[in-house]
Amino acid sequence: MDEPAARRPPGRGARVRAAVLGAALAELAEVGYDALTVEAVARRAGVHKTTVYRRWADRADLVVDALTEHVDLDVAVPAAGPIEDDLRAYARSVVAWLTAPTGRAVLAALLSDAARVPEVAEVKQRFFTARMRRAEPLVARAVARGELPAGTEPGDVVRALVAPIYLRLVITGEPVDDTTADAAARDAIVLARSAR
Amino acid sequence: MDEPAARRPPGRGARVRAAVLGAALAELAEVGYDALTVEAVARRAGVHKTTVYRRWADRADLVVDALTEHVDLDVAVPAAGPIEDDLRAYARSVVAWLTAPTGRAVLAALLSDAARVPEVAEVKQRFFTARMRRAEPLVARAVARGELPAGTEPGDVVRALVAPIYLRLVITGEPVDDTTADAAARDAIVLARSAR
Amino acid sequence: MDEPAARRPPGRGARVRAAVLGAALAELAEVGYDALTVEAVARRAGVHKTTVYRRWADRADLVVDALTEHVDLDVAVPAAGPIEDDLRAYARSVVAWLTAPTGRAVLAALLSDAARVPEVAEVKQRFFTARMRRAEPLVARAVARGELPAGTEPGDVVRALVAPIYLRLVITGEPVDDTTADAAARDAIVLARSAR
Amino acid sequence: MDEPAARRPPGRGARVRAAVLGAALAELAEVGYDALTVEAVARRAGVHKTTVYRRWADRADLVVDALTEHVDLDVAVPAAGPIEDDLRAYARSVVAWLTAPTGRAVLAALLSDAARVPEVAEVKQRFFTARMRRAEPLVARAVARGELPAGTEPGDVVRALVAPIYLRLVITGEPVDDTTADAAARDAIVLARSAR
DNA sequence: GACTAAACGAGACGGTACGTCGAGTCTTTGT
DNA sequence: ACAAAGACTCGACGTACCGTCTCGTTTAGTC
């Protein structure tokens, strides 16, 4: 009862964990969930297959863990200024994350067959709703300040904002950049201001 | 010189083909692409494994064929009336197809890991662009009639129309029904009428 | 010179039969019984697989027929002269047949796994005993003439004659030629003359 | 700590190896090389198919190994006494081995289609020449003692000895027992003593 | 010299085994 | 005492032949 007491949370095991999760995400990005192989992940992480199985129950569990890692990170919520600026900044941050390598990989994984795994479905739910919810205070503040009509549902505005971004990314495959983000923000505001 | 348009040997082989493609789609719906197994498809179709391999090169080829079948079907394009009615009808038909069992299965498959197969990616492309393009004449007609501002880009209107539908179906998983369709149509028109 | 006209069902069927049996023997020689494939035989005979199965029940039946063809042929039995000459001539004819391409193939086939097929085992039995028996009159005649001791068992002499030939061909794989044949004949006579 | 004296890497893997090779030889005896199936061997050994393929490249490799096992075993060489007794004892030991179940199986396999596999051909060569060579010193000793004529070629005597045994076993299928062995030994000596 | 029946070409089919790969489990070993 | 290594069971992969079957198409022998 001595040598493990030396390192409580850090130590060698943590390095293995990081290496494996990193390898898993990389494989996810390169070959997708269907073709992701525990053996390939282990090889890539420089670790033996059984070492992976000692920590994770199976392929699904490993992927859940790898995705969770990148999903619960906090995203900066800008916060001050006219609603036009705030939404534009938010839209751009969404686009930036989703088009960066890690974001692309996570998004693809969350929409892949992995989503049939209940835990991944949970992660997916958490991921999207949490991110969208984080922008709702911006809208609420604008309503309070009278920039948007009273009675505006913040959730609706945010949905309207992200919808065209995801459409291009996921459905049509069209390129997505800041221009797309700006247009999305503008349209979301137009819709919010159109009396209901 | 009567029914030759369909297939030359309409006999027994066609039944096998239909049974296997049907089984493939059903498996796709139930277990997804990742877990789809040629042997399970064969079993389900009441056919031997080697019979499947005689006609299709591999799992991917089989899935491509099964999806293609349901993708190139024609969708009714309503066509007359005020743009509000036309777009609402179109939105509802899109929702109806995507929420019916077959539609759900095809959509899920097109967004799954199967999309890494180049041929499936092609099918996906064909599928979405063809369907969206089919609604563009409606918008063009409305522009010609003065119901929508001159200079309106039909493609933009259609994208705005379907974006919230796909958002709910694919990203947030919220329920989608005629109400959703109607709101999507209304918002698309609002955006089109907001001067650029 | 259309000698096939003599048969009842002359025509085309006989050509097919000959082509297939020939191909079967050739395959037997080249790849052996284990690797002999009905499809390869058919291909080689320029005939369709089903045509083979129409006439022969299965692979074994086909091989039986192909071997039988070459087994029931008559071998010239020399017959006059001192026993030394007769046996030497017989030994040489045995060697000649067994070292010619067809003989090699038939011998190999009769000793291969094909011999597990009861009909092939029968053919094998017929083949060896018939050929050996054909030489027995030579010995009997020599006994009658007093060249060999009375009471000599012709079968024993013939067995002693062929034993070293088969040993080299089948067991040790040593080369076999007329020298071997001559030595075998000489030794058989020595043994016959050594009182029992 | 010397309980595993039997094998270098003792333990569990050796048990699998033995079980599989035993099963392979048994199958060889029962159904022959042509009908020998890796799956059947695995079943019989109580082992999964892939376990067999992990250690042996294919069917041929497995058979080579199974045969080798029984081929390189040492055979007792009697050694003292008049040449008549020595050769008779040797002949009987040859007959005993070849008529025992294992011997029959090995012999049959060495003469079957398996012999087309180069490695099996090598084993066959090793097998027969090694066993025959082992008897040559007996003859050489007899020559030295003056029991057989000077200049007698030991190899020739041994060949003459075994030839009738193999003839019966392999060619004519006649029963082989000690009587056969004794006659073979006697005849070999007669031939050796007939001046050349 | 046309007609009919057998034989043939073509190829799909259910099946068995091939040899391969990966998933997950269990045992052995080294330290 | 425990974790790395690796051997094992299991199931599916995609392939080659087996032997069966059903279609059309020659082609031979008969009328």
Side-chain angles (χ1 to χ4, degrees), chain C residues 48 50-51 54-55:
Chain C
H48 198 267
T50 49
T51 297
R54 222 182 314 269
R55 289 171 186 271

Side-chain angles (χ1 to χ4, degrees), chain C residues 20-32 36 41 44 66 70 105, chain D residues 116:
Chain C
V20 172
L21 290 183
L25 196 68
E27 286 287 307
L28 226 31
E30 285 181 22
V31 303
L36 181 142
V41 170
R44 183 169 205 143
H70 297 275
Chain D
R116 299 216 169 221

Side-chain angles (χ1 to χ4, degrees), chain A:
Chain A
M1 224 63 104
D2 30 20
E3 89 291 357
R7 299 80 174 263
R8 304 292 274 290
R12 181 259 310 271
R15 271 197 304 278
V16 168
R17 180 182 150 84
V20 172
L21 291 183
L25 196 68
E27 286 288 307
L28 225 31
E30 284 181 21
V31 303
Y33 178 72
D34 172 57
L36 181 142
T37 259
V38 172
E39 291 183 342
V41 170
R43 229 170 3 243
R44 183 169 207 145
V47 147
H48 198 267
K49 184 173 81 156
T50 50
T51 298
V52 174
Y53 276 107
R54 195 165 308 108
R55 291 171 189 272
W56 292 276
D58 54 17
R59 197 173 69 124
D61 191 41
L62 172 60
V63 167
V64 168
D65 218 2
L67 290 177
T68 303
E69 204 86 334
H70 295 277
V71 152
D72 292 339
L73 292 176
D74 250 317
V75 175
V77 242
I83 187 64
E84 282 84 0
D85 294 356
D86 284 357
L87 283 190
R88 195 173 339 110
Y90 173 72
R92 287 186 175 205
S93 80
V94 167
V95 165
W97 198 87
L98 290 175
T99 53
T102 298
R104 296 195 66 82
V106 171
L107 177 62
L110 290 180
L111 297 175
S112 75
D113 281 290
R116 299 218 168 221
V117 178
E119 290 93 333
V120 171
E122 270 176 47
V123 169
K124 177 182 171 187
Q125 205 60 30
R126 268 212 320 278
F127 177 74
F128 289 121
T129 63
R131 301 214 166 206
M132 288 171 60
R133 190 146 304 161
R134 210 164 286 135
E136 293 183 6
L138 267 54
V139 176
R141 213 158 1 198
V143 171
R145 279 193 308 241
E147 295 183 86
L148 292 177
T152 299
E153 194 62 61
D156 290 348
V157 177
V158 177
R159 262 194 289 273
L161 172 66
V162 297
I165 295 173
Y166 284 116
L167 180 77
R168 297 175 112 95
L169 277 173
V170 173
I171 304 295
T172 64
E174 295 165 288
V176 172
D177 56 13
D178 283 356
T179 307
T180 317
D182 295 353
R186 191 176 53 240
D187 286 354
I189 291 171
V190 167
L191 284 176
R193 287 190 174 142
S194 76
R196 185 132 318 193

Side-chain angles (χ1 to χ4, degrees), chain C residues 52-132:
Chain C
V52 175
Y53 278 109
R54 222 182 314 269
R55 289 171 186 271
W56 294 277
D58 53 19
R59 197 174 68 124
D61 191 41
L62 172 60
V63 168
V64 168
D65 217 4
L67 291 177
T68 303
E69 205 83 334
H70 297 275
V71 152
D72 292 339
L73 290 177
D74 251 315
V75 176
V77 241
I83 186 64
E84 283 84 357
D85 295 356
D86 284 356
L87 283 190
R88 195 172 341 108
Y90 173 72
R92 287 185 175 206
S93 80
V94 168
V95 165
W97 199 87
L98 290 174
T99 53
T102 298
R104 297 195 65 83
V106 170
L107 177 61
L110 290 179
L111 296 174
S112 76
D113 281 289
R116 299 217 168 221
V117 178
E119 288 93 334
V120 172
E122 270 176 48
V123 169
K124 176 182 170 186
Q125 206 60 29
R126 268 211 322 276
F127 177 74
F128 288 121
T129 62
R131 300 211 168 208
M132 289 170 61

Side-chain angles (χ1 to χ4, degrees), chain D:
Chain D
M1 244 37 130
D2 48 1
E3 86 294 356
R7 293 280 182 284
R8 281 81 97 211
R12 179 256 312 265
R15 271 196 304 279
V16 168
R17 181 183 150 85
V20 172
L21 290 184
L25 196 69
E27 286 286 308
L28 226 31
E30 285 181 21
V31 304
Y33 178 73
D34 172 57
L36 181 142
T37 259
V38 172
E39 292 188 338
V41 170
R43 251 188 322 264
R44 182 169 208 145
V47 145
H48 199 268
K49 185 175 77 157
T50 50
T51 295
V52 175
Y53 279 110
R54 195 168 308 107
R55 289 169 185 273
W56 293 277
D58 53 18
R59 198 173 68 124
D61 189 41
L62 173 59
V63 168
V64 168
D65 216 3
L67 291 177
T68 303
E69 203 84 335
H70 296 276
V71 152
D72 292 338
L73 292 176
D74 251 315
V75 175
V77 240
I83 186 63
E84 283 84 359
D85 294 356
D86 284 357
L87 283 190
R88 194 171 342 107
Y90 173 72
R92 286 185 176 207
S93 80
V94 167
V95 165
W97 198 87
L98 290 174
T99 54
T102 298
R104 296 195 66 82
V106 171
L107 178 62
L110 290 180
L111 297 174
S112 75
D113 282 289
R116 299 216 169 221
V117 178
E119 289 94 333
V120 172
E122 270 177 48
V123 169
K124 178 182 170 187
Q125 206 59 31
R126 268 212 320 277
F127 177 74
F128 289 121
T129 62
R131 300 213 168 208
M132 288 171 60
R133 190 147 303 164
R134 210 165 287 136
E136 295 183 6
L138 267 53
V139 178
R141 211 153 8 193
V143 173
R145 280 192 308 239
E147 294 184 85
L148 293 178
T152 299
E153 194 60 61
D156 289 348
V157 178
V158 178
R159 261 193 290 273
L161 172 66
V162 298
I165 296 172
Y166 283 116
L167 180 77
R168 296 175 114 95
L169 277 172
V170 174
I171 304 294
T172 65
E174 295 166 289
V176 171
D177 56 14
D178 283 355
T179 308
T180 317
D182 295 353
R186 191 176 53 240
D187 287 356
I189 292 171
V190 167
L191 283 176
R193 287 190 176 140
S194 76
R196 183 132 320 191

